[in-house]
Amino acid sequence: MEPTDTTETMDPMTNPEPHWLTEDEQRVWRAYLHATTLLEDHLDRQLQRDAKMPHVYFGLLVQLSEAPRRRLRMTELARSAKITRSRLSHAVARLEKSGWVRREDCPSDKRGQFAVLTDEGLDVLKKAAPGHVDAVRGALFERLTPQQQKSLGEIMRIVAEGLQPKEAGADLPWLR
């Protein structure tokens, strides 16, 4: 990713030269971006075709299905889905329109709301899950050896741990 125009003089004290990716690192980075973009598109198209919902909505339904009483506070759902509260509100409105989710006011907090997975939403999720897991298995796990799967899991855990905010007041989109 080194820039091609180096006519600008850089003062190392005020603007140090970046530690550019090596050619091998650049290949790994671009392969990662290419694969994750294709994988997300593949899963999104499968869910749109088979369940008439985008991948992000499927993920919201899964999280609600795994929550106690199939309900989560909207702020917690946004945080766990890693999406802004505004985007979540829009998604939940669409899921409500389909009858798959409903909102409930929080009795202990006048401003808070819960997203609740309806019986109809659970049925839709149960019908969509087999096709989704087949798509995940075919696109990822069947292409890797067991050792590669283990390595990928370890690598992704290391990356995720390194990106988790350490400070309580971090400016993260899903906290806005």
Side-chain angles (χ1 to χ4, degrees):
M1 283 189 102
E2 189 170 353
T4 55
D5 182 7
T6 56
T7 57
E8 200 175 302
T9 306
M10 297 186 110
D11 179 356
M13 298 304 280
T14 59
N15 200 1
E17 180 70 18
H19 183 188
W20 299 110
L21 298 179
T22 66
E23 286 184 33
D24 286 342
E25 289 169 335
Q26 188 67 253
R27 276 192 290 278
V28 169
W29 175 241
R30 289 185 180 177
Y32 167 82
L33 288 177
H34 188 67
T36 56
T37 300
L38 289 172
L39 180 60
E40 183 62 30
D41 178 67
H42 175 73
L43 297 176
D44 198 60
R45 284 185 293 114
Q46 177 271 319
L47 283 164
Q48 288 283 7
R49 181 186 64 240
D50 297 348
K52 309 296 185 257
M53 76 174 90
H55 193 212
V56 69
Y57 290 12
F58 181 84
L60 295 172
L61 296 180
V62 167
Q63 288 189 48
L64 290 171
S65 76
E66 294 172 346
R69 297 176 45 211
R70 298 189 324 222
R71 59 190 258 151
L72 284 172
R73 283 188 66 121
M74 293 284 284
T75 52
E76 181 56 34
L77 186 55
R79 185 177 299 118
S80 62
K82 305 291 187 268
I83 60 176
T84 64
R85 287 185 272 191
S86 172
R87 183 173 179 205
L88 175 66
S89 184
H90 177 73
V92 169
R94 298 284 306 269
L95 293 168
E96 279 181 302
K97 190 175 180 181
S98 298
W100 302 344
V101 170
R102 74 174 180 276
R103 292 182 212 223
E104 292 179 356
D105 290 332
C106 179
S108 64
D109 178 1
K110 300 250 188 250
R111 296 180 306 166
Q113 285 191 319
F114 288 97
V116 182
L117 181 65
T118 65
D119 291 341
E120 186 180 348
L122 184 60
D123 288 343
V124 166
L125 182 61
K126 286 178 180 179
K127 288 176 185 160
H132 180 66
V133 77
D134 283 348
V136 169
R137 183 169 298 288
L140 185 64
F141 292 101
E142 290 175 358
R143 297 174 187 274
L144 302 176
T145 67
Q147 182 57 46
Q148 289 171 324
Q149 293 174 23
K150 182 178 177 187
S151 294
L152 180 62
E154 291 169 357
I155 290 165
M156 292 296 100
R157 274 189 291 283
I158 290 167
V159 171
E161 287 171 7
L163 294 172
Q164 289 295 325
K166 305 298 184 251
E167 67 273 4
D171 182 28
L172 300 170
W174 49 89
L175 298 179
R176 294 185 204 134

